[in-house]
Amino acid sequence: MVTSIDTVPGWFSDDELAWVRSRMPVLYVNAVPVRVDNTGSVTRVGLLLQASPEQTISRAVVSGRVLYHERIRDALLRHLEKDLGPMALPSIPATPQPFTVAEYFPTPGVTAYHDPRQHAVALAYVVPVTGDCRPRQDALDLVWFTPEEAAGPEVQSEMADGQGVLVRQALAHAGCLP
C-alpha cells in the first residue's frame, strides 16, 4: 500500500534518475536570458554564477530537465522562475522555437557540449526578460553583460562544458555577435 502521494509527478528518485541517465538521453531546455531595447535588439545577456559539486565556480545559462507530460513552454517558464525568481517576467512565445539543439555527451570532445553525468539533448532559446531578476536555487549571482562582454574571452573562460559556445550561438542568432 502506498502511504504517500507523489506531489511532483515526473520526478525520479536519485537512484531512478541515475539509472535513466545511464541508459538514455534526457531532454533539457537551455534559456539565455536577455534584456532588449524598444527595437528588440539585445542589450544585455544574463549569466548565472554557480558552484559545482566539484567546488568550482562558473557562469552558466538557465537550464533544466523537461518533466514527463510537460510542455516545453512550461518547462522554460518553470526553470526561468526557479533560477531568476518569480518577478523575472520572461517573454516566451506561445510556440517557442529553439535557436539550436545542444547535444551533451558524458565523453568530452564528442561535441562542444559536455555533461559528465549523462547524454542529454537540450533545446536552446533566447528569452527576453523584463522584470526584476534575483538568483535563486543553485545560483550564487546573476550578472548582466553586454553582448560584447558575454562573447569576450574573459567571460567565455568562466563558462564550462560548452556553455560559452551556447552563448555565442545565442548572440549570433539574435544578430549581435560582435
Side-chain angles (χ1 to χ4, degrees):
M1 177 177 179
V2 176
T3 58
S4 66
I5 297 173
D6 184 6
T7 58
V8 185
W11 287 115
F12 292 112
S13 70
D14 289 344
D15 289 339
E16 292 169 325
L17 183 57
W19 185 87
V20 169
R21 283 178 166 162
S22 70
R23 286 164 177 79
M24 63 189 316
V26 178
L27 181 61
Y28 279 72
V29 290
N30 288 153
V32 180
V34 297
R35 300 277 194 201
V36 296
D37 63 16
N38 59 356
T39 67
S41 297
V42 172
T43 59
R44 298 278 184 204
V45 179
L47 298 175
L48 299 168
L49 188 64
Q50 296 180 322
S52 74
E54 296 82 30
Q55 306 295 325
T56 61
I57 303 289
S58 64
R59 298 216 179 267
V61 301
V62 172
S63 181
R65 288 192 309 267
V66 177
L67 298 177
Y68 177 75
H69 212 264
E70 181 178 43
R71 296 180 330 158
I72 297 297
R73 186 173 194 281
D74 294 334
L76 281 166
L77 287 169
R78 180 170 57 83
H79 288 294
L80 286 159
E81 180 176 316
K82 176 185 67 84
D83 286 345
L84 304 181
M87 300 307 295
L89 305 177
S91 178
I92 301 173
T95 55
Q97 298 295 314
F99 68 85
T100 195
V101 176
E103 193 170 12
Y104 293 81
F105 280 91
T107 306
V110 176
T111 67
Y113 309 103
H114 176 247
D115 186 336
R117 305 168 300 170
Q118 65 191 334
H119 177 188
V121 176
L123 306 175
Y125 301 86
V126 175
V127 181
V129 294
T130 58
D132 183 30
C133 297
R134 303 207 185 258
R136 298 172 38 169
Q137 298 289 331
D138 298 332
L140 302 172
D141 195 11
L142 171 71
V143 177
W144 292 98
F145 295 97
T146 66
E148 294 78 16
E149 291 169 331
E154 185 176 330
V155 172
Q156 288 285 305
S157 70
E158 296 175 351
M159 303 187 81
D161 301 326
Q163 295 281 293
V165 172
L166 195 67
V167 168
R168 290 185 58 82
Q169 287 179 324
L171 292 171
H173 175 75
C176 60
L177 185 64

